Amino acid sequence: MTQIPPSAPKDGVDHSDGGGSPLNKAENSHEEREKKNLSRRAKDVEISVPIVYGTIAFWLGRKATESQSHKWTVYVRGATNEDLSVVVKRVVFQLHPSFNNPIRVVDSPPFELSECGWGEFEIAISLYFHSDACDRKLDVFHHLKLYPLEQSGPQSTKKPVVVESYDEVVFPDPSELFLGRVQNHPAVVVPRFPAGLELPPSALTEENSDRRGSTKDHPLGHWFMNFSEADELLKLAAARQQVQAHIVKLRRQMSMVEGSSGTVDPASAF
């Protein structure tokens, strides 16, 4: 599980020239509203985004050369193959320096790239999120494997080497703008809202709910690993949210009697 710290607070300085046309004033007003929405945070709430990153490598067989023996694809996908672009803005893959243009930027889903080569190496993967989610990037690392760990005979051109890793990206105390935008998206796990929290209606529509970022029909999809433990991890995350909500309730009860002669038995709150 990887927890992303809340976005750093803005400097609060007005960088406008103090004047300008009505259009500029309207733009400034819109920007101020956006900043205000981003500054409002849903306390004691965590948004979880299950992701999978990995590689699939095919041996080229008779087409293999000394410098290009395998074709491989590196990617970041939703754990259940949902579109991650609702949270992820871009992904940067850093390949071995021997490749032309080793730093590859993918600005739209699916977040992947394919190459040919002969050697194994570590790929640095940087995830950048939308501004209402987080202003910090997340770095993960994946080792490209071209050869199976156990090989009893010649390598097959039809059966690839698949290596994937599961992770759960957690956004604590998300902005209400982000929470409202993704609350009904299938790629995002949103817990029960605290009492009294009101959010704007979700912007998710039937039109954009099935974008091309979904990997459910990916041509390599039948090679993707099925992370059966993902469901259990998500259940644990939901249970953790309930426990945290109960702790908050307990703290409020204790604060109400603080300074009085009475005491609160923590066990009575459960």
Side-chain angles (χ1 to χ4, degrees):
M1 180 183 299
T2 303
Q3 189 173 81
I4 305 296
S7 300
K10 306 301 180 182
D11 57 12
V13 178
D14 183 6
H15 298 285
S16 65
D17 58 6
S21 65
L23 179 59
N24 289 336
K25 291 182 179 179
E27 291 176 349
N28 290 337
S29 177
H30 176 73
E31 291 177 358
E32 290 300 323
R33 288 196 301 269
E34 288 295 316
K35 290 181 180 178
K36 185 176 181 180
N37 289 335
L38 287 174
S39 65
R40 296 180 56 183
R41 299 201 162 270
K43 296 297 183 181
D44 304 314
V45 172
E46 286 185 351
I47 293 178
S48 301
V49 184
I51 66 170
V52 171
Y53 54 93
T55 50
I56 295 180
F58 284 90
W59 180 51
L60 295 178
R62 294 181 179 179
K63 297 181 180 180
T65 64
E66 185 175 342
S67 61
Q68 294 188 345
S69 60
H70 291 75
K71 181 177 180 180
W72 50 265
T73 300
V74 58
Y75 51 85
V76 179
R77 65 178 179 89
T80 55
N81 294 310
E82 302 291 351
D83 183 7
L84 288 179
S85 64
V86 68
V87 177
V88 178
K89 184 177 182 180
R90 75 172 57 90
V91 175
V92 178
F93 299 94
Q94 185 169 346
L95 309 182
H96 191 273
S98 61
F99 283 86
N100 292 328
N101 185 25
I103 299 179
R104 310 286 179 86
V105 180
V106 181
D107 287 316
S108 59
F111 298 109
E112 64 182 32
L113 66 87
S114 297
E115 266 290 358
C116 290
W118 59 270
E120 299 180 346
F121 60 92
E122 186 176 64
I123 303 174
I125 306 174
S126 298
L127 281 69
Y128 293 81
F129 306 100
H130 292 289
S131 59
D132 61 350
C134 183
D135 59 5
R136 295 176 173 87
K137 67 174 181 174
L138 171 63
D139 295 322
V140 296
F141 299 89
H142 178 80
H143 191 81
L144 170 65
K145 293 290 292 181
L146 302 182
Y147 303 94
L149 295 178
E150 298 181 0
Q151 186 172 344
S152 57
Q155 189 170 2
S156 171
T157 58
K158 297 181 179 180
K159 185 178 181 180
V161 176
V162 182
V163 180
E164 293 190 325
S165 298
Y166 172 90
D167 201 352
E168 184 181 342
V169 185
V170 179
F171 299 88
D173 298 340
S175 69
E176 292 186 5
L177 185 65
F178 175 46
L179 182 56
R181 185 170 64 81
V182 304
Q183 58 181 310
N184 294 323
H185 197 283
V188 180
V189 179
V190 180
R192 185 188 308 173
F193 295 156
L197 178 61
E198 295 183 1
L199 296 173
S202 173
L204 182 66
T205 63
E206 184 178 353
E207 179 180 358
N208 61 23
S209 62
D210 188 21
R211 301 177 58 182
R212 66 187 182 94
S214 170
T215 52
K216 292 183 178 180
D217 298 323
H218 195 284
L220 298 176
H222 58 288
W223 297 114
F224 290 160
M225 298 174 64
N226 181 18
F227 288 85
S228 58
E229 71 273 17
D231 290 338
E232 295 300 322
L233 290 173
L234 296 181
K235 291 178 182 178
L236 288 175
R240 185 177 65 250
Q241 289 290 333
Q242 294 180 357
V243 172
Q244 289 178 342
H246 219 100
I247 291 175
V248 171
K249 180 181 178 181
L250 175 60
R251 288 175 178 172
R252 289 174 180 172
Q253 290 177 349
M254 295 182 69
S255 64
M256 291 177 61
V257 297
E258 190 176 74
S260 66
S261 57
T263 59
V264 175
D265 180 7
S268 66
F270 293 90

